[in-house]
Amino acid sequence: MAGATPDSASAETTYRSARVPLLLPTWLVIGVFLILPVALMAVYSFLTKEMRGGVIWEFSLAAYDQFFINRGLFGDEPPTLEWTYLTVFGRSILQAAIATVLCLLIGFPTAWFIATRPPETRGVWLFLITVPYWVNLLIRTVSLRFLIRENGPLNDALLGAGVISQPLALINTDFAVQLGLFYSYLPFMVLPIYAAVERYNFAWSEAAADLYASRWVTLREIVLPIVKPGIIAGCLLVFIPSLGAFLAPNLLGGAKNFMIGSLIEEQFKKSLGNWPFGAAVSMILMSLVLILLMLYARSAARQETR
Amino acid sequence: MALRSVRHYPGFFGIALMCLTVLYAPLIVVMVYSFNDSPSITNWGGVSLRWYFDVFTGPEAPRFKAAAWNSLSIAFLAATIATCIATAAALAMLRAGKFKGRSLTFAMINLPLMVPEIVIAVATLIFFTMIGFTTGYLTILVAHITFCIPFAYLPIAARLQGIDGSYEAAARDLYATRAQSFFLVLLPLMAPGVVSGYLLAFIISLDDFIITNFVKGAGMETLPTAIFGSVKQGIKPNIMAISTLMLAVSFLFVTLSYLINRRGR
Amino acid sequence: MTCAVDIRTVTKTYGTFTALHGVSLSIRDNEFFTLLGPSGCGKTTLLRMMAGFEDVTKGEILLFGQNIASLEPNHRPVNTVFQQYALFPHMSVIDNVGFGLKMKGWSKEKRRTRAGEMLEMVHLTDFADRLPAQLSGGQQQRVALARALAPQPKVLLLDEPLSALDLKLRQAMRMELKQLQEDTGITFIFVTHDQEEALTMSNRIAVMSAGHIQQIGSPQDIYESPLNRFVADFIGDTNLLQVEVAAISGDQAQVILPGGQRVACSTATTEKGTHHLSIRPERVTLVPIGSGLQAVVEQVIYLGTDLQVLVRLDGGTAMQVRIQNAARTEVPSPGTRVGLQLEEGAARLLAD
């Protein structure tokens, strides 16, 4: 595209000399209101918590210590690994993973189906899939809660149809949270897979069938390896937000489903909170996410050079 | 027996339908129950608009009105400012050739999308506290502008990318200054992308909960935070009415954005 | 001779559009059979129906006597070489070639051995571990061929496999394919729009147009004895003149050209009335005026190996004549009156 004709090539650099004033607002806003705060948050995680909820500007590893190490109730026992918070992280990772798998199992067939529709109907299907995404996540989560609670419409319908004899206790379970995460991020799984399948050449499937492969073997041997980049992108786009999700565990899960998002939120409730600790947990979460993103970037780069 | 094409997989259509059902069921249920005449959310008492009236005139109405005003005005301001910043950025990224710091800038623009929302929320709160800025309307606005930028940027950049440089070259050739060629030639061509970006930013701002909840301070509410606070006390029918209203607004905006994109093509 | 593929009044419709109108043909075992026609004539549709990628709306397709129209493609002992090769991009060349064998349950060693043999046959042994993207178009084409032949199909379908190659490569591959068919004895069903390809490679050709089969025959039959205007014009160059039939007896006829001159010719029809006459331009000799058909030279076009002489017959009809550009050739100048001598087999009365 660049340099298609001498004319358009020169248009590509029209604003070159104005690039600094054009980008200054972006640099300022994101630099001051995103990058700086994150840096300050990093600093905060190394500060000491004050009794009444503020902070003392004194370097301390107390927040990270609290996260990883157990020194007993009064802090005087020999240090052992602190499992409480690691368990929260572990649980979040597990929930996010299950939600991702759910999204994959439902999202892949859906994406494939949409991508194999005739071009006219394809747009309509895509539109239908993405519209719920544009509804406020809070409202979507609230609607889900309304639907699946014990005396909610779902149970009413199931009871009425005679499928069950007692209402299902779906709220405040792991499943409810997974369902909530699935519901929140499904379009993020469908769209990248759809894009990958759209680029897929069905002649490959025909060649496989021509060479005696059944449909499902073709799916396993030919389709999935080729569509893999889209699948991985979709999984990341679901897994990462699910890790730090707050609304689904808060509104759909109970005390047993405490996740990273809730752990962090709790630290910032006025005088009860521990801001350095909250900052530390956020740092740990962010590091986890950045590592995942870097791994992804590296494997994507390796795909390019293959 | 008809042969099935290689595109066909048995069961995929069923799963796709199920997917749509799962996506829409909760929303449809809420919409239906928002017209429920009974004050109890479990029983159906007939069709009525009473909860919509309650939203606007009932005991909680002042609170919701204030929250709605905050949400809408912040969304309007944030979307406008973010769109302007994003448009300028798109110009620099796509019409200034390669320059030092270009990839860094690109990373910066996408940064809000890559950092988990709750981390942004915490960081922003800590920032404002540290500099002693009282949390309230302005802090919400500033935070919203920041994370709206990438959302506005995406459609604008996509649109600008597809515009051939020869139009501007022609304008410059006919003695137009850069500003003239931008406002008279490029901007009209970019319009669908800009409008799309604006609508996207507006919705993102209107819908935001987590970041807003962290930086709003006491006494300030936006619609999402008001709804959340109310829900924590139990789902009441007027919540469903508000939800349906917000749903309708979202749907309207998405359809608008979709249609504008299609016409612009 | 056994019939390998028997197409019986096969019709294919897509909604209101009919791609094939009740076509029938019979392909023999160990034959190199070509479906020839312009794009849109239905040849690829017919091929895909044999492979199993398109449904048969009406009619039957028999493979060695067995009706396969309702069989899924992966249950037919027929393999295809695709137009754009469709090599699996994520598999090495040797894995591509061995894929069909893997699907049939062959052990890893047997697969490797056979795939190796196939690669040797197409002279690509050194490329066994490369990925398709690392190969040139011609090499990919040969891998596609090896892959389709590895499972020892009874019939090999080739969907315009040479169309993406450049001229020299195409010409070389034609000979290779022909040799391959003779060596393996497998029935090759070849689809192309290139009539030179069809003529050089095939035992028999089916000329198709707009969903109908126009004529089936050997290359000689098709060229020397076309049945109608489409076949006469599609294969090689020809002059088509509208004529009145004066007399027909057996396979010879006498026709009257516009302007009154008469020509004796072979005939594809037994009807009298108005028909078209096909005269092959290279079978006409220019002689001094007085004998043969009377005409005047209008233009001479230099083509390197030949000269194309555009003449106008007395009576108004335009014609082209091809003469070899040999050292002794006299080039007639525009305006000269000449005689056109038709050689044996130059003129043919067509059915339409």
Side-chain angles (χ1 to χ4, degrees):
Chain A
M1 181 212 130
T5 67
D7 282 344
S8 47
S10 69
E12 300 296 328
T13 52
T14 321
Y15 298 92
R16 191 185 177 80
S17 56
R19 70 189 184 276
V20 169
L22 283 174
L23 288 176
L24 206 54
T26 308
W27 288 334
L28 277 179
V29 170
I30 298 190
V32 172
F33 297 113
L34 181 58
I35 299 181
L36 186 57
V38 171
L40 287 176
M41 180 181 82
V43 167
Y44 237 69
S45 66
F46 291 106
L47 296 183
T48 322
K49 164 178 154 57
E50 220 215 313
M51 277 312 156
R52 290 160 294 138
V55 286
I56 309 170
W57 277 82
E58 195 182 286
F59 179 82
S60 143
L61 288 172
Y64 291 96
D65 187 284
Q66 180 179 357
F67 186 90
F68 287 108
I69 301 176
N70 183 354
R71 294 179 192 276
L73 213 51
F74 299 102
D76 51 1
E77 286 175 26
T80 55
L81 196 56
E82 174 67 76
W83 287 108
T84 323
Y85 306 111
L86 288 172
T87 316
V88 173
F89 261 74
R91 186 186 303 126
S92 298
I93 292 176
L94 183 63
Q95 296 282 62
I98 296 179
T100 306
V101 169
L102 255 174
C103 278
L104 186 57
L105 288 176
I106 306 243
F108 180 86
T110 307
W112 176 275
F113 176 77
I114 298 180
T116 52
R117 292 310 92 206
E120 316 87 54
T121 27
R122 222 179 282 173
V124 177
W125 281 94
L126 277 178
F127 181 70
L128 286 177
I129 287 279
T130 48
V131 157
Y133 169 68
W134 295 119
V135 177
N136 191 334
L137 180 58
L138 173 66
I139 291 180
R140 275 188 286 147
T141 316
V142 168
S143 322
L144 192 58
R145 170 162 157 164
F146 176 69
L147 181 67
I148 65 176
R149 71 191 202 287
E150 251 188 68
N151 35 15
L154 181 65
N155 272 318
D156 283 346
L158 290 177
L159 280 169
V163 176
I164 50 174
S165 52
Q166 272 203 308
L168 298 170
L170 289 173
I171 285 282
N172 294 345
T173 59
D174 277 343
F175 176 67
V177 175
Q178 289 151 12
L179 189 61
L181 293 173
F182 160 80
Y183 191 56
S184 311
Y185 303 115
L186 180 70
F188 288 152
M189 176 67 78
V190 172
L191 291 175
I193 297 182
Y194 164 82
V197 175
E198 241 227 322
R199 284 191 302 260
Y200 176 80
N201 185 355
F202 288 96
W204 290 320
S205 288
E206 285 185 350
D210 186 72
L211 295 164
Y212 315 108
S214 74
R215 246 173 252 295
W216 300 102
V217 172
T218 306
L219 185 65
R220 185 188 72 214
E221 297 280 328
I222 311 288
V223 177
L224 287 178
I226 294 179
V227 166
K228 198 163 61 162
I231 295 180
I232 294 182
C235 287
L236 272 178
L237 286 174
V238 171
F239 187 77
I240 291 180
S242 297
L243 265 188
F246 171 73
L247 282 174
N250 189 290
L251 289 175
L252 297 167
K256 282 196 296 124
N257 313 102
F258 208 65
M259 283 172 61
I260 299 177
S262 322
L263 177 62
I264 296 178
E265 197 253 0
E266 204 183 50
Q267 306 311 316
F268 293 91
K269 290 186 183 141
K270 293 308 154 220
S271 50
L272 296 169
N274 182 342
W275 283 35
F277 183 64
V281 178
S282 301
M283 288 296 294
I284 298 175
L285 173 64
M286 197 172 73
S287 315
L288 189 57
V289 168
L290 286 177
I291 292 176
L292 281 172
L293 285 175
M294 281 199 310
L295 285 174
Y296 171 68
R298 199 168 302 166
S299 87
R302 222 181 294 131
Q303 286 268 34
E304 293 283 320
T305 54
R306 234 176 137 245
Chain B
M1 191 193 75
L3 293 175
R4 295 301 217 151
S5 107
V6 291
R7 287 168 167 76
H8 171 82
Y9 279 89
F12 279 24
F13 174 59
I15 293 181
L17 272 188
M18 185 181 89
C19 182
L20 277 185
T21 314
V22 169
L23 284 181
Y24 281 89
L27 302 175
I28 295 181
V29 164
V30 164
M31 285 195 325
V32 165
Y33 270 81
S34 72
F35 295 105
N36 184 3
D37 197 26
S38 152
S40 148
I41 50 171
T42 47
N43 306 317
W44 180 255
V47 179
S48 122
L49 286 175
R50 63 188 278 198
W51 301 111
Y52 289 90
F53 290 131
D54 182 272
V55 167
F56 290 106
T57 57
E60 290 183 288
R63 184 166 147 238
F64 284 129
K65 278 213 187 86
W69 165 251
N70 289 331
S71 276
L72 288 169
S73 59
I74 289 177
F76 175 75
L77 289 171
T80 311
I81 298 175
T83 305
C84 292
I85 297 181
T87 310
L91 276 182
M93 295 294 286
L94 293 169
R95 286 284 195 267
K98 296 218 192 305
F99 52 90
K100 217 170 50 172
R102 187 164 180 265
S103 6
L104 189 62
T105 310
F106 187 69
M108 277 179 83
I109 294 176
N110 285 305
L111 201 56
L113 297 174
M114 292 199 280
V115 179
E117 225 191 319
I118 198 156
V119 172
I120 300 182
V122 167
T124 314
L125 175 61
I126 290 178
F127 171 70
F128 284 128
T129 311
M130 261 199 190
I131 63 173
F133 204 92
T134 332
T135 48
Y137 191 92
L138 271 181
T139 53
I140 303 179
L141 181 59
V142 162
H144 279 219
I145 294 174
T146 314
F147 68 69
C148 278
I149 291 179
F151 286 101
Y153 180 82
L154 285 170
I156 295 177
R159 176 83 185 161
L160 183 55
Q161 182 106 358
I163 296 180
D164 192 77
S166 51
Y167 299 110
E168 299 153 77
R172 306 291 309 282
D173 184 65
L174 294 166
Y175 315 109
T177 62
R178 274 194 304 203
Q180 285 172 321
S181 105
F182 173 70
F183 283 105
L184 297 173
V185 176
L186 191 54
L187 190 56
L189 285 172
M190 278 171 73
V194 173
V195 172
S196 232
Y198 182 87
L199 291 173
L200 195 49
F202 190 92
I203 286 280
I204 293 289
S205 164
L206 192 66
D207 283 350
D208 180 71
F209 171 74
I210 299 195
I211 297 180
T212 313
N213 197 33
F214 265 72
V215 303
K216 70 180 174 69
M220 261 290 292
E221 296 282 352
T222 60
L223 270 180
T225 64
I227 295 177
F228 181 78
S230 196
V231 166
K232 280 313 243 186
Q233 296 163 9
I235 300 182
K236 295 192 296 280
N238 59 357
I239 291 295
M240 288 188 270
I242 298 189
S243 301
T244 310
L245 286 172
M246 286 195 78
L247 224 146
V249 171
S250 294
F251 184 75
L252 188 69
F253 271 67
V254 175
T255 318
L256 260 175
S257 175
Y258 176 74
L259 289 174
I260 288 181
N261 261 318
R262 280 223 325 202
R263 275 197 66 217
R265 199 146 299 153
Chain C
M1 262 221 128
T2 2
C3 170
V5 177
D6 198 3
I7 313 268
R8 295 192 183 166
T9 39
V10 162
T11 304
K12 174 72 182 170
T13 50
Y14 296 98
T16 49
F17 171 68
T18 310
L20 291 170
H21 295 88
V23 303
S24 296
L25 56 90
S26 198
I27 301 173
R28 304 180 197 129
D29 194 16
N30 197 356
E31 182 174 30
F32 195 118
F33 192 93
T34 300
L35 299 174
L36 173 67
S39 52
C41 70
K43 59 191 190 291
T44 303
T45 308
L46 190 54
L47 196 79
R48 284 171 63 84
M49 285 164 87
M50 292 187 229
F53 301 125
E54 298 281 352
D55 236 351
V56 178
T57 314
K58 262 191 287 203
E60 294 175 318
I61 300 184
L62 302 177
L63 180 69
F64 291 105
Q66 189 199 6
N67 189 349
I68 57 170
S70 58
L71 280 184
E72 292 273 338
N74 58 324
H75 290 130
R76 304 189 187 196
V78 163
N79 291 131
T80 311
V81 179
F82 291 81
Q83 189 170 7
Q84 264 127 19
Y85 321 134
L87 297 181
F88 305 127
H90 61 296
M91 290 185 187
S92 67
V93 163
I94 195 154
D95 285 338
N96 259 282
V97 175
F99 185 78
L101 307 171
K102 185 172 175 188
M103 291 301 108
K104 290 189 117 173
W106 287 33
S107 74
K108 197 156 186 199
E109 289 120 61
K110 288 221 193 92
R111 284 198 324 251
R112 258 204 117 78
T113 318
R114 173 97 180 133
E117 285 169 19
M118 294 282 95
L119 284 179
E120 239 189 83
M121 186 177 71
V122 295
H123 316 298
L124 283 177
T125 319
D126 293 333
F127 292 80
D129 294 313
R130 303 252 183 114
L131 288 178
Q134 299 166 302
L135 269 55
S136 71
Q139 290 164 336
Q140 288 182 7
Q141 204 268 337
R142 282 183 278 157
V143 174
L145 196 52
R147 185 177 71 174
L149 285 172
Q152 297 162 312
K154 297 182 183 176
V155 173
L156 186 69
L157 306 174
L158 301 103
D159 185 4
E160 302 200 55
L162 307 181
S163 58
L165 303 175
D166 55 22
L167 185 60
K168 285 281 181 230
L169 198 50
R170 225 185 303 155
Q171 287 169 337
M173 278 308 298
R174 284 180 201 162
M175 293 301 98
E176 272 197 49
L177 277 177
K178 179 80 181 155
Q179 193 63 47
L180 207 54
Q181 192 274 324
E182 286 172 7
D183 291 343
T184 56
I186 298 175
T187 311
F188 273 35
I189 305 182
F190 191 86
V191 161
T192 182
H193 61 270
D194 183 331
Q195 40 113 349
E196 200 186 298
E197 235 161 55
L199 291 175
T200 51
M201 298 167 82
S202 329
N203 293 129
R204 285 194 305 154
I205 305 174
V207 181
M208 295 179 69
S209 142
H212 293 274
I213 295 188
Q214 301 294 333
Q215 186 170 355
I216 304 178
S218 69
Q220 288 80 4
D221 290 341
I222 305 281
Y223 190 79
E224 306 286 342
S225 319
L227 288 177
N228 56 31
R229 266 184 296 166
F230 182 82
V231 178
D233 197 33
F234 193 76
I235 318 287
D237 270 332
T238 191
N239 293 289
L240 290 173
L241 295 82
Q242 204 161 9
V243 297
E244 201 56 54
V245 178
I248 297 191
S249 94
D251 61 347
Q252 295 299 305
Q254 258 239 351
V255 298
I256 312 172
L257 302 180
Q261 308 195 58
R262 287 184 173 237
V263 171
C265 57
S266 66
T267 174
T269 177
T270 46
E271 295 172 4
K272 290 191 138 191
T274 318
H275 289 273
H276 281 82
L277 182 72
S278 154
I279 303 183
R280 295 285 184 201
E282 74 279 4
R283 303 230 173 134
V284 179
T285 331
L286 294 178
V287 294
I289 189 86
S291 55
L293 295 175
Q294 307 296 294
V296 64
V297 174
E298 288 196 329
Q299 209 186 349
V300 179
I301 301 176
Y302 180 78
L303 294 175
T305 48
D306 301 329
L307 293 171
Q308 187 179 34
V309 184
L310 302 178
V311 303
R312 191 166 294 276
L313 298 174
D314 292 353
T317 328
M319 263 186 64
Q320 55 150 316
V321 178
R322 284 269 174 123
I323 55 182
Q324 266 202 323
N325 184 18
R328 295 177 287 110
T329 313
E330 288 164 27
V331 182
S333 41
T336 330
R337 284 186 61 79
V338 288
L340 305 179
Q341 185 109 342
L342 303 180
E343 292 166 28
E344 179 82 42
R348 179 162 173 85
L349 181 64
L350 302 171
D352 61 349

